[in-house]
Amino acid sequence: TSLPPMRNTRVGHSCSVVLTTLVVIGGAGSQDGELYDLTKKTWTTSPSLPSVMYNGQALTIGQNMFAIFMSGQVMKLTREMDQWQWNTVTQIPKWAVRGNNRPLLPAPQLSEHTLAC
């Protein structure tokens, strides 16, 4: 089954699933994102990130989604009262440089304590 197209074409973006929502963020020149509700089968706009996120990482732990910028900035996406919001969680050492296309090594080392879960 294919999804309806996103509003914006993206390259170098990141994505993860939080509960029943597919979150697609960033990409070349982009600090915005899109949310796909898996039950309603609709796309909406996510809140903007504080800066462009290109070739970053996204991961979900429990009901929390985290965006990890190549610079080491870690942001957490939260949802309260049907409103999504990004909050800065921590800063880890810079783990990649532009042009490395998400190197596997060294992988950023994160824990629930680091991410304040």
Side-chain angles (χ1 to χ4, degrees):
T1 303
S2 60
L3 301 178
M6 290 186 289
R7 297 174 183 186
N8 299 309
T9 302
R10 297 176 186 276
V11 64
H13 56 282
S14 303
C15 58
S16 193
V17 175
V18 181
L19 300 174
T20 61
T21 304
L22 169 64
V23 181
V24 181
I25 52 174
S30 178
Q31 64 188 77
D32 68 347
E34 299 181 59
L35 308 169
Y36 183 75
D37 187 309
L38 296 167
T39 56
K40 295 179 184 175
K41 301 187 183 334
T42 55
W43 287 103
T44 56
T45 303
S46 78
S48 292
L49 293 159
S51 60
V52 170
M53 182 175 175
Y54 178 69
N55 280 350
Q57 299 288 343
L59 66 122
T60 300
I61 299 174
Q63 297 180 10
N64 301 302
M65 185 192 151
F66 299 90
I68 307 168
F69 291 74
M70 289 191 293
S71 66
Q73 181 181 18
V74 181
M75 306 276 310
K76 179 179 176 181
L77 183 64
T78 59
R79 182 178 182 180
E80 293 182 25
M81 306 281 288
D82 285 336
Q83 295 292 316
W84 293 89
Q85 179 178 326
W86 287 107
N87 296 297
T88 300
V89 176
T90 191
Q91 180 74 32
I92 62 173
K94 183 176 180 177
W95 61 275
V97 294
R98 193 170 186 80
N100 267 11
N101 295 325
R102 298 182 200 171
L104 297 176
L105 298 171
Q109 298 295 309
L110 304 171
S111 67
E112 289 182 2
H113 175 72
T114 303
L115 297 174
C117 291

PDB file of all heavy atoms in Angstrom, residues 9-10 14 16 18 29-30 33 36 45 47-48 57 60-61 81 86 90 96 100 105 108:
ATOM      1  N   THR A   9       8.683  17.685  -1.601  1.00  0.00           N
ATOM      2  CA  THR A   9       9.671  16.681  -1.974  1.00  0.00           C
ATOM      3  C   THR A   9      10.863  16.838  -1.041  1.00  0.00           C
ATOM      4  O   THR A   9      11.279  17.953  -0.744  1.00  0.00           O
ATOM      5  CB  THR A   9      10.108  16.887  -3.432  1.00  0.00           C
ATOM      6  OG1 THR A   9       8.957  16.807  -4.260  1.00  0.00           O
ATOM      7  CG2 THR A   9      11.117  15.841  -3.848  1.00  0.00           C
ATOM      8  N   ARG A  10      11.418  15.731  -0.559  1.00  0.00           N
ATOM      9  CA  ARG A  10      12.522  15.787   0.408  1.00  0.00           C
ATOM     10  C   ARG A  10      13.653  14.851  -0.002  1.00  0.00           C
ATOM     11  O   ARG A  10      13.427  13.794  -0.561  1.00  0.00           O
ATOM     12  CB  ARG A  10      12.031  15.379   1.798  1.00  0.00           C
ATOM     13  CG  ARG A  10      10.986  16.313   2.346  1.00  0.00           C
ATOM     14  CD  ARG A  10      10.443  15.831   3.693  1.00  0.00           C
ATOM     15  NE  ARG A  10       9.362  16.687   4.104  1.00  0.00           N
ATOM     16  CZ  ARG A  10       9.527  17.839   4.735  1.00  0.00           C
ATOM     17  NH1 ARG A  10      10.720  18.246   5.063  1.00  0.00           N
ATOM     18  NH2 ARG A  10       8.484  18.581   5.055  1.00  0.00           N
ATOM     19  N   SER A  14      14.745  12.728   7.642  1.00  0.00           N
ATOM     20  CA  SER A  14      14.720  11.674   8.652  1.00  0.00           C
ATOM     21  C   SER A  14      13.273  11.370   8.985  1.00  0.00           C
ATOM     22  O   SER A  14      12.398  12.227   8.819  1.00  0.00           O
ATOM     23  CB  SER A  14      15.445  12.135   9.928  1.00  0.00           C
ATOM     24  OG  SER A  14      16.768  12.507   9.637  1.00  0.00           O
ATOM     25  N   SER A  16      10.470   8.737  11.603  1.00  0.00           N
ATOM     26  CA  SER A  16      10.236   7.755  12.654  1.00  0.00           C
ATOM     27  C   SER A  16       8.733   7.721  12.917  1.00  0.00           C
ATOM     28  O   SER A  16       8.011   8.637  12.514  1.00  0.00           O
ATOM     29  CB  SER A  16      11.003   8.134  13.919  1.00  0.00           C
ATOM     30  OG  SER A  16      11.024   7.066  14.844  1.00  0.00           O
ATOM     31  N   VAL A  18       5.732   7.643  15.781  1.00  0.00           N
ATOM     32  CA  VAL A  18       5.374   7.889  17.179  1.00  0.00           C
ATOM     33  C   VAL A  18       3.903   7.536  17.309  1.00  0.00           C
ATOM     34  O   VAL A  18       3.054   8.171  16.678  1.00  0.00           O
ATOM     35  CB  VAL A  18       5.592   9.362  17.574  1.00  0.00           C
ATOM     36  CG1 VAL A  18       5.234   9.577  19.027  1.00  0.00           C
ATOM     37  CG2 VAL A  18       7.006   9.799  17.282  1.00  0.00           C
ATOM     38  N   GLY A  29      18.003  21.775   2.950  1.00  0.00           N
ATOM     39  CA  GLY A  29      17.474  23.131   3.025  1.00  0.00           C
ATOM     40  C   GLY A  29      16.182  23.276   3.801  1.00  0.00           C
ATOM     41  O   GLY A  29      15.531  24.312   3.729  1.00  0.00           O
ATOM     42  N   SER A  30      15.793  22.260   4.567  1.00  0.00           N
ATOM     43  CA  SER A  30      14.489  22.298   5.223  1.00  0.00           C
ATOM     44  C   SER A  30      14.589  22.181   6.738  1.00  0.00           C
ATOM     45  O   SER A  30      15.333  21.362   7.261  1.00  0.00           O
ATOM     46  CB  SER A  30      13.614  21.159   4.691  1.00  0.00           C
ATOM     47  OG  SER A  30      12.368  21.145   5.337  1.00  0.00           O
ATOM     48  N   GLY A  33       8.629  19.932   8.674  1.00  0.00           N
ATOM     49  CA  GLY A  33       8.348  18.509   8.631  1.00  0.00           C
ATOM     50  C   GLY A  33       6.878  18.266   8.331  1.00  0.00           C
ATOM     51  O   GLY A  33       6.080  19.196   8.214  1.00  0.00           O
ATOM     52  N   TYR A  36       2.103  12.212   9.233  1.00  0.00           N
ATOM     53  CA  TYR A  36       1.098  11.387   8.564  1.00  0.00           C
ATOM     54  C   TYR A  36       0.364  10.587   9.624  1.00  0.00           C
ATOM     55  O   TYR A  36       0.957   9.748  10.305  1.00  0.00           O
ATOM     56  CB  TYR A  36       1.729  10.451   7.538  1.00  0.00           C
ATOM     57  CG  TYR A  36       0.709   9.645   6.780  1.00  0.00           C
ATOM     58  CD1 TYR A  36      -0.056  10.237   5.783  1.00  0.00           C
ATOM     59  CD2 TYR A  36       0.492   8.304   7.071  1.00  0.00           C
ATOM     60  CE1 TYR A  36      -1.007   9.510   5.088  1.00  0.00           C
ATOM     61  CE2 TYR A  36      -0.456   7.578   6.384  1.00  0.00           C
ATOM     62  CZ  TYR A  36      -1.201   8.183   5.389  1.00  0.00           C
ATOM     63  OH  TYR A  36      -2.147   7.446   4.704  1.00  0.00           O
ATOM     64  N   THR A  45       1.185  19.530   8.616  1.00  0.00           N
ATOM     65  CA  THR A  45       2.505  20.132   8.812  1.00  0.00           C
ATOM     66  C   THR A  45       2.930  19.986  10.272  1.00  0.00           C
ATOM     67  O   THR A  45       2.126  20.179  11.171  1.00  0.00           O
ATOM     68  CB  THR A  45       2.461  21.621   8.427  1.00  0.00           C
ATOM     69  OG1 THR A  45       2.019  21.708   7.075  1.00  0.00           O
ATOM     70  CG2 THR A  45       3.822  22.261   8.547  1.00  0.00           C
ATOM     71  N   PRO A  47       5.560  21.140  13.512  1.00  0.00           N
ATOM     72  CA  PRO A  47       6.240  22.382  13.891  1.00  0.00           C
ATOM     73  C   PRO A  47       7.648  22.402  13.301  1.00  0.00           C
ATOM     74  O   PRO A  47       8.255  21.357  13.078  1.00  0.00           O
ATOM     75  CB  PRO A  47       6.269  22.328  15.417  1.00  0.00           C
ATOM     76  CG  PRO A  47       6.029  20.913  15.780  1.00  0.00           C
ATOM     77  CD  PRO A  47       5.265  20.291  14.660  1.00  0.00           C
ATOM     78  N   SER A  48       8.143  23.592  13.049  1.00  0.00           N
ATOM     79  CA  SER A  48       9.481  23.747  12.467  1.00  0.00           C
ATOM     80  C   SER A  48      10.563  23.428  13.487  1.00  0.00           C
ATOM     81  O   SER A  48      10.410  23.696  14.677  1.00  0.00           O
ATOM     82  CB  SER A  48       9.682  25.170  11.965  1.00  0.00           C
ATOM     83  OG  SER A  48       8.851  25.414  10.863  1.00  0.00           O
ATOM     84  N   GLN A  57      19.455  12.169  12.236  1.00  0.00           N
ATOM     85  CA  GLN A  57      18.872  10.896  12.646  1.00  0.00           C
ATOM     86  C   GLN A  57      17.574  11.152  13.398  1.00  0.00           C
ATOM     87  O   GLN A  57      17.448  12.175  14.087  1.00  0.00           O
ATOM     88  CB  GLN A  57      19.834  10.116  13.542  1.00  0.00           C
ATOM     89  CG  GLN A  57      21.150   9.755  12.901  1.00  0.00           C
ATOM     90  CD  GLN A  57      21.013   8.665  11.850  1.00  0.00           C
ATOM     91  OE1 GLN A  57      20.031   7.959  11.778  1.00  0.00           O
ATOM     92  NE2 GLN A  57      22.032   8.532  11.028  1.00  0.00           N
ATOM     93  N   THR A  60      12.671   6.725  17.827  1.00  0.00           N
ATOM     94  CA  THR A  60      11.587   6.728  18.800  1.00  0.00           C
ATOM     95  C   THR A  60      11.940   5.763  19.916  1.00  0.00           C
ATOM     96  O   THR A  60      12.346   4.634  19.670  1.00  0.00           O
ATOM     97  CB  THR A  60      10.255   6.312  18.143  1.00  0.00           C
ATOM     98  OG1 THR A  60       9.951   7.248  17.107  1.00  0.00           O
ATOM     99  CG2 THR A  60       9.128   6.277  19.139  1.00  0.00           C
ATOM    100  N   ILE A  61      11.793   6.238  21.152  1.00  0.00           N
ATOM    101  CA  ILE A  61      11.947   5.398  22.336  1.00  0.00           C
ATOM    102  C   ILE A  61      10.644   5.538  23.104  1.00  0.00           C
ATOM    103  O   ILE A  61      10.307   6.637  23.562  1.00  0.00           O
ATOM    104  CB  ILE A  61      13.139   5.832  23.203  1.00  0.00           C
ATOM    105  CG1 ILE A  61      14.452   5.722  22.421  1.00  0.00           C
ATOM    106  CG2 ILE A  61      13.195   5.003  24.482  1.00  0.00           C
ATOM    107  CD1 ILE A  61      15.654   6.255  23.159  1.00  0.00           C
ATOM    108  N   MET A  81      -2.282  17.947  24.103  1.00  0.00           N
ATOM    109  CA  MET A  81      -3.556  18.536  23.690  1.00  0.00           C
ATOM    110  C   MET A  81      -3.619  18.731  22.168  1.00  0.00           C
ATOM    111  O   MET A  81      -3.972  19.779  21.664  1.00  0.00           O
ATOM    112  CB  MET A  81      -3.793  19.859  24.400  1.00  0.00           C
ATOM    113  CG  MET A  81      -3.693  19.785  25.908  1.00  0.00           C
ATOM    114  SD  MET A  81      -5.133  19.112  26.714  1.00  0.00           S
ATOM    115  CE  MET A  81      -6.288  20.430  26.518  1.00  0.00           C
ATOM    116  N   TRP A  86       8.632  20.906  19.501  1.00  0.00           N
ATOM    117  CA  TRP A  86      10.023  20.494  19.643  1.00  0.00           C
ATOM    118  C   TRP A  86      10.632  21.164  20.866  1.00  0.00           C
ATOM    119  O   TRP A  86      10.434  22.356  21.074  1.00  0.00           O
ATOM    120  CB  TRP A  86      10.840  20.894  18.409  1.00  0.00           C
ATOM    121  CG  TRP A  86      10.556  20.077  17.201  1.00  0.00           C
ATOM    122  CD1 TRP A  86       9.856  20.471  16.094  1.00  0.00           C
ATOM    123  CD2 TRP A  86      10.965  18.734  16.958  1.00  0.00           C
ATOM    124  NE1 TRP A  86       9.805  19.448  15.183  1.00  0.00           N
ATOM    125  CE2 TRP A  86      10.478  18.368  15.688  1.00  0.00           C
ATOM    126  CE3 TRP A  86      11.697  17.800  17.694  1.00  0.00           C
ATOM    127  CZ2 TRP A  86      10.708  17.115  15.140  1.00  0.00           C
ATOM    128  CZ3 TRP A  86      11.913  16.545  17.144  1.00  0.00           C
ATOM    129  CH2 TRP A  86      11.431  16.213  15.881  1.00  0.00           C
ATOM    130  N   THR A  90      19.355  17.919  24.868  1.00  0.00           N
ATOM    131  CA  THR A  90      20.758  17.904  25.260  1.00  0.00           C
ATOM    132  C   THR A  90      21.633  18.188  24.046  1.00  0.00           C
ATOM    133  O   THR A  90      21.134  18.302  22.918  1.00  0.00           O
ATOM    134  CB  THR A  90      21.140  16.537  25.895  1.00  0.00           C
ATOM    135  OG1 THR A  90      22.424  16.640  26.500  1.00  0.00           O
ATOM    136  CG2 THR A  90      21.145  15.420  24.876  1.00  0.00           C
ATOM    137  N   ALA A  96      28.968  13.841  13.020  1.00  0.00           N
ATOM    138  CA  ALA A  96      29.073  13.724  11.564  1.00  0.00           C
ATOM    139  C   ALA A  96      29.428  15.077  10.978  1.00  0.00           C
ATOM    140  O   ALA A  96      29.283  16.106  11.620  1.00  0.00           O
ATOM    141  CB  ALA A  96      27.756  13.234  10.977  1.00  0.00           C
ATOM    142  N   ASN A 100      29.134  13.440   4.722  1.00  0.00           N
ATOM    143  CA  ASN A 100      29.411  12.059   5.119  1.00  0.00           C
ATOM    144  C   ASN A 100      28.213  11.141   4.935  1.00  0.00           C
ATOM    145  O   ASN A 100      28.332   9.941   5.093  1.00  0.00           O
ATOM    146  CB  ASN A 100      29.851  11.996   6.581  1.00  0.00           C
ATOM    147  CG  ASN A 100      31.346  12.044   6.713  1.00  0.00           C
ATOM    148  OD1 ASN A 100      32.046  12.320   5.750  1.00  0.00           O
ATOM    149  ND2 ASN A 100      31.837  11.786   7.900  1.00  0.00           N
ATOM    150  N   LEU A 105      29.730   4.779  11.718  1.00  0.00           N
ATOM    151  CA  LEU A 105      30.698   4.786  12.806  1.00  0.00           C
ATOM    152  C   LEU A 105      31.431   6.115  12.812  1.00  0.00           C
ATOM    153  O   LEU A 105      31.863   6.557  11.763  1.00  0.00           O
ATOM    154  CB  LEU A 105      31.699   3.642  12.637  1.00  0.00           C
ATOM    155  CG  LEU A 105      31.098   2.243  12.684  1.00  0.00           C
ATOM    156  CD1 LEU A 105      32.140   1.218  12.285  1.00  0.00           C
ATOM    157  CD2 LEU A 105      30.518   1.944  14.047  1.00  0.00           C
ATOM    158  N   PRO A 108      26.223   7.787  17.267  1.00  0.00           N
ATOM    159  CA  PRO A 108      26.029   8.540  18.509  1.00  0.00           C
ATOM    160  C   PRO A 108      25.577   7.607  19.628  1.00  0.00           C
ATOM    161  O   PRO A 108      24.699   6.781  19.428  1.00  0.00           O
ATOM    162  CB  PRO A 108      24.951   9.567  18.157  1.00  0.00           C
ATOM    163  CG  PRO A 108      24.332   9.099  16.895  1.00  0.00           C
ATOM    164  CD  PRO A 108      25.310   8.180  16.225  1.00  0.00           C
TER     165      PRO A 108
END
